[in-house]
Every structure is written in C-alpha cells, then in structure tokens.
Amino acid sequence: MTGSSWWDLALGIAAGLLLTWLALIAALAVLRPRGGLLREALRLLPDVVRLLRGLATDRDLPRGVRVRLVLLLAYLALPIDLVPDFIPVLGQADDAVVVVVVLRGVVRRAGLGAVRAHWPGTEDGFAAVVRLAGLDRRRDGRT
C-alpha cells in the first residue's frame, strides 16, 4: 500500500486493533445491564470488588474461574479505561459493565453458593448481584 513493508505492517496492526476495540465496544453495549440494573451495578461495585477478591483466592474454585477473576481485578486496578469517558453511558460505566459480564460467567461456572459464601454486603446487595448475573436465586448457578 505505502511502498514500505514496515508501514504496511504498522497500519495493518493499527487497523486490526481498532476493529477489535470497536467490536468490544459493540459487545459491551449489547451485554450491558438494562434499566436500573446499571445504576445498581455502579452502587455495588465496592462490594463486588471485595467479592471478586474473595473468589479469586478460593482454592475450591476451578483454576479457570480464579484466573478470570485475577485478570478482572488487574483490569480494575489499571487507570486506563477500556471505553473513553466521552462515549455516552458506556464511557462512565465501562468498569461496571465488564464486571457484570465476567461475574455472569463466573457465577454460572462456580455456582451461586460460592458467591453467597464470599458476599461481603447486605442481603439486598446480594439479590441485586443475582439479578445482575441473570440467575434465579433458587438455582445453584451451575449449568
């Protein structure tokens, strides 16, 4: 394209990263909690971070679940946002959306009992986490 293979490689990598980022933004927009659930997710974020830390250190959970949780905690600790703040809704709530998406998978894999055992907050907060994870409280969360 440009006559230089280095520039072509750099442009190809940049274009690939941009397309990947745009696909991620689209996925987050589709998977984000609807209505008041997003507000609840933001309110519960401190308790959820403590929950994630407890689950990540639980040796009874599968290694894959713990690895996902450690990676999520590392992402939350980074000062760089996945979605810039100028993007409406997702820009301000990207951390909450990422937590909800990962939490859904973790709860479905580890079971609701593990989440209940590590939940540091109130019963109402736990009920909100169950709603955010898309699970019925009567099920154990395993599929």
Side-chain angles (χ1 to χ4, degrees):
M1 283 178 39
T2 62
S4 169
S5 60
W6 288 109
W7 277 110
D8 289 343
L9 178 63
L11 287 174
I13 289 172
L17 288 173
L18 178 65
L19 286 174
T20 302
W21 182 76
L22 290 173
L24 183 60
I25 297 294
L28 288 176
V30 170
L31 295 173
R32 73 178 163 79
R34 302 288 186 239
L37 284 179
L38 185 59
R39 195 173 306 110
E40 275 186 285
L42 290 171
R43 182 178 56 83
L44 291 171
L45 202 53
D47 284 338
V48 170
V49 169
R50 286 195 301 273
L51 168 71
L52 296 174
R53 197 176 116 240
L55 289 169
T57 59
D58 186 348
R59 295 272 182 205
D60 293 333
L61 296 179
R63 182 181 301 175
V65 168
R66 288 183 287 140
V67 167
R68 279 183 248 164
L69 291 167
V70 168
L71 290 173
L72 176 61
L73 287 168
Y75 165 75
L76 292 174
L78 290 174
I80 300 169
D81 280 344
L82 187 63
V83 181
D85 288 338
F86 66 83
I87 296 177
V89 180
L90 286 178
Q92 290 78 30
D94 61 333
D95 289 346
V97 173
V98 170
V99 167
V100 166
V101 170
V102 172
L103 187 62
R104 284 178 182 170
V106 166
V107 170
R108 287 188 175 111
R109 178 88 163 105
L112 196 55
V115 174
R116 182 71 196 122
H118 290 282
W119 179 248
T122 65
E123 193 63 35
D124 288 340
F126 181 69
V129 167
V130 169
R131 282 193 308 276
L132 287 169
L135 298 174
D136 181 7
R137 289 184 73 179
R138 287 174 274 240
R139 292 183 355 172
D140 73 344
R142 293 184 189 272
T143 54

